[in-house]
């Protein structure tokens, strides 16, 4: 009996739903430990300590709202699908649209094969064809074996959000990473005094065993997530600055400048847009969607375009 590996990959989506429950459980645990057990009661103590507790609870809720908002946008936002029967523009359509696409990018997908330049280096086609989707394949597009479809500017399939991260939800994913890192880091610091007191309180039985267990577990979980997320944040900031996806890291050649790297400012705008007021919110303005083709995921300017 033959085993279809691609069908097995699609079954990984089931794991993602357990991940969503795990995220909800960790958030609920953190909320109980920070707001209900530790800092909520301090609001009634009065004085400077009460003001500090109020500030901490406000910041906790703000980061939590931004975290959840970004998270749900990543979960429910389509990362970008290839339109049915998509194919590159013809030469006449390119001229009419005033597009920067070259003639070589306007050929039928089936006609694209790898060629070699005069210096012997392989020149990979920007537009291809997906045999599994039976459809054209725009630049930077990849087929996801879990979602069973091609995803525009695919970065990776994330089991934590049961969705692919691509051109149209990458900003939301980055904000989710950022706000989760800030939330878990803040939780770690504000629970640190209670964690230090854990051992003396456990010995003196001054706090209920249930609350002690919650504080201990919440501190350890938040510390672990904060440290691991720091690595992911640094990695994706580096990828963002060079306009590279996680998949494309393996495609880049050392010593050759990445053709989509247009400089940090332009690279940043291709993900976050030009509206500064929306940079830290999981939103994209219609004006940016209309003016920045990269946000739609079908066209991407290259070094040759910017230099021309």
């Amino acid at each position: 009996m033959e085993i279809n590996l691609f069908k097995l990959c699609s079954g990984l989506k089931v794991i993602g739903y357990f991940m969503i429950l795990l995220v909800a459980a960790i958030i609920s645990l953190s909320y109980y430990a920070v707001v209900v057990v530790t800092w909520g009661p301090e609001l009634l103590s009065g004085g400077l300590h009460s003001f500090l507790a109020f500030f901490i609870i406000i910041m906790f809720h703000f980061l939590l709202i931004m975290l959840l908002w970004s998270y749900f946008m990543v979960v429910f936002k389509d990362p970008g699908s290839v339109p049915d029967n998509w194919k590159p523009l013809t030469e006449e359509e390119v001229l009419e649209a005033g597009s920067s696409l070259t003639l070589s990018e306007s050929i039928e997908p089936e006609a694209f094969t790898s060629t070699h330049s005069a210096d012997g280096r392989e020149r990979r086609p920007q537009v291809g064809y997906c045999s599994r989707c039976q459809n054209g394949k725009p630049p930077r597009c990849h087929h996801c074996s879990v979602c069973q479809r091609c995803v525009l500017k695919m970065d990776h399939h994330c089991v934590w959000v049961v969705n692919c991260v691509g051109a149209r939800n990458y900003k939301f994913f980055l904000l989710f990473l950022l706000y989760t890192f800030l939330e878990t880091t803040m939780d770690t610091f504000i629970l640190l005094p209670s964690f230090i007191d854990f051992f003396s309180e456990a010995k003196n039985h001054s706090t209920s065993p249930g609350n002690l267990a919650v504080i201990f577990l919440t501190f350890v979980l938040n510390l672990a997530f904060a440290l691991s997320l720091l690595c992911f944040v640094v990695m994706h900031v580096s990828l963002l600055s060079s306009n590279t996806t996680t998949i494309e890291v393996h495609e880049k050649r050392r010593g050759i400048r990445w053709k989509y790297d247009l400089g940090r400012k332009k690279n940043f705008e291709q993900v976050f847009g030009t509206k500064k007021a929306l940079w830290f919110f999981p939103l994209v303005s219609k004006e940016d969607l209309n003016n920045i083709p990269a946000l739609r995921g079908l066209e991407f300017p290259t070094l040759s375009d910017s230099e021309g």
Side-chain angles (χ1 to χ4, degrees):
M1 184 178 69
E2 294 185 359
I3 299 176
N4 190 328
L5 294 178
F6 296 109
K7 291 295 184 181
L8 290 177
C9 288
S10 63
L12 293 175
K13 295 182 71 173
V14 178
I15 299 177
Y17 296 110
F18 289 103
M19 293 298 189
I20 292 179
L21 294 177
L22 181 59
V23 170
I26 294 173
I27 290 175
S28 301
L29 189 67
S30 299
Y31 192 94
Y32 181 79
V34 172
V35 178
V36 178
V37 176
T38 308
W39 290 98
E42 297 296 331
L43 291 172
L44 304 177
S45 62
L48 185 61
H49 207 65
S50 179
F51 176 78
L52 177 62
F54 177 77
F55 175 76
I56 287 175
I57 291 176
I58 291 296
M59 285 300 300
F60 177 88
H61 282 90
F62 171 76
L63 292 175
L64 180 60
I65 290 171
M66 298 305 296
L67 183 162
L68 290 174
W69 187 6
S70 302
Y71 181 70
F72 285 122
M73 288 296 290
V74 181
V75 172
F76 295 110
K77 179 68 175 179
D78 188 340
S81 301
V82 183
D84 292 335
N85 301 316
W86 180 89
K87 64 180 181 180
L89 297 174
T90 63
E91 183 180 11
E92 292 76 12
E93 290 171 331
V94 170
L95 294 174
E96 289 178 4
S99 172
S100 61
L101 290 175
T102 63
L103 178 60
S104 63
E105 292 172 322
S106 305
I107 306 174
E108 293 293 330
E110 296 87 338
F112 277 86
T113 56
S114 295
T115 59
H116 291 78
S117 59
D119 58 5
R121 291 176 180 167
E122 183 182 10
R123 299 178 61 186
R124 301 182 67 183
Q126 288 190 313
V127 181
Y129 184 79
C130 180
S131 59
R132 278 172 276 175
C133 293
Q134 297 294 306
N135 198 10
K137 204 172 179 181
R140 313 184 77 178
C141 174
H142 293 273
H143 186 90
C144 176
S145 299
V146 180
C147 295
Q148 295 289 301
R149 61 170 176 149
C150 283
V151 176
L152 300 177
K153 194 189 173 186
M154 179 179 172
D155 188 87
H156 69 288
H157 183 91
C158 182
V159 294
W160 288 93
V161 301
V162 204
N163 198 4
C164 271
V165 176
R168 300 180 185 178
N169 66 352
Y170 186 48
K171 174 187 176 181
F172 311 146
F173 175 76
L174 293 180
L175 290 177
F176 168 60
L177 281 183
L178 174 64
Y179 287 123
T180 305
F181 169 70
L182 293 176
E183 179 75 89
T184 53
T185 301
M186 189 186 81
D187 291 353
T188 300
F189 279 107
I190 62 181
L191 288 175
L192 182 59
S194 299
F195 179 78
I196 294 174
D197 295 337
F198 166 80
F199 302 98
S200 61
E201 291 180 357
K203 183 178 179 180
N204 299 329
H205 304 287
S206 56
T207 305
S208 69
N211 287 343
L212 286 175
V214 166
I215 292 174
F216 181 86
L217 181 59
T218 304
F219 176 83
V220 172
L221 283 174
N222 278 277
L223 177 61
F225 271 96
L227 292 176
S228 59
L229 284 168
L230 176 60
C231 299
F232 280 103
V233 169
V234 171
M235 182 188 76
H236 279 281
V237 167
S238 175
L239 293 175
L240 176 66
S241 65
S242 61
N243 200 351
T244 311
T245 66
T246 303
I247 293 176
E248 289 171 343
V249 168
H250 304 288
E251 298 179 358
K252 293 171 64 175
R253 293 172 178 264
R254 292 184 178 180
I256 303 175
R257 185 176 175 183
W258 183 234
K259 62 185 175 183
Y260 296 114
D261 185 359
L262 307 180
R264 293 181 180 177
K265 183 176 183 292
K266 290 184 178 179
N267 295 342
F268 181 86
E269 290 176 350
Q270 285 190 22
V271 176
F272 284 82
T274 59
K275 300 295 182 181
K276 296 181 180 180
L278 299 180
W279 279 356
F280 294 100
F281 294 92
L283 298 168
V284 180
S285 69
K286 290 184 178 179
E287 183 178 348
D288 280 340
L289 283 174
N290 292 331
N291 296 333
I292 305 177
L295 290 174
R296 299 191 296 272
L298 288 171
E299 301 173 26
F300 299 93
T302 61
L303 280 173
S304 58
D305 298 327
S306 60
E307 292 169 357

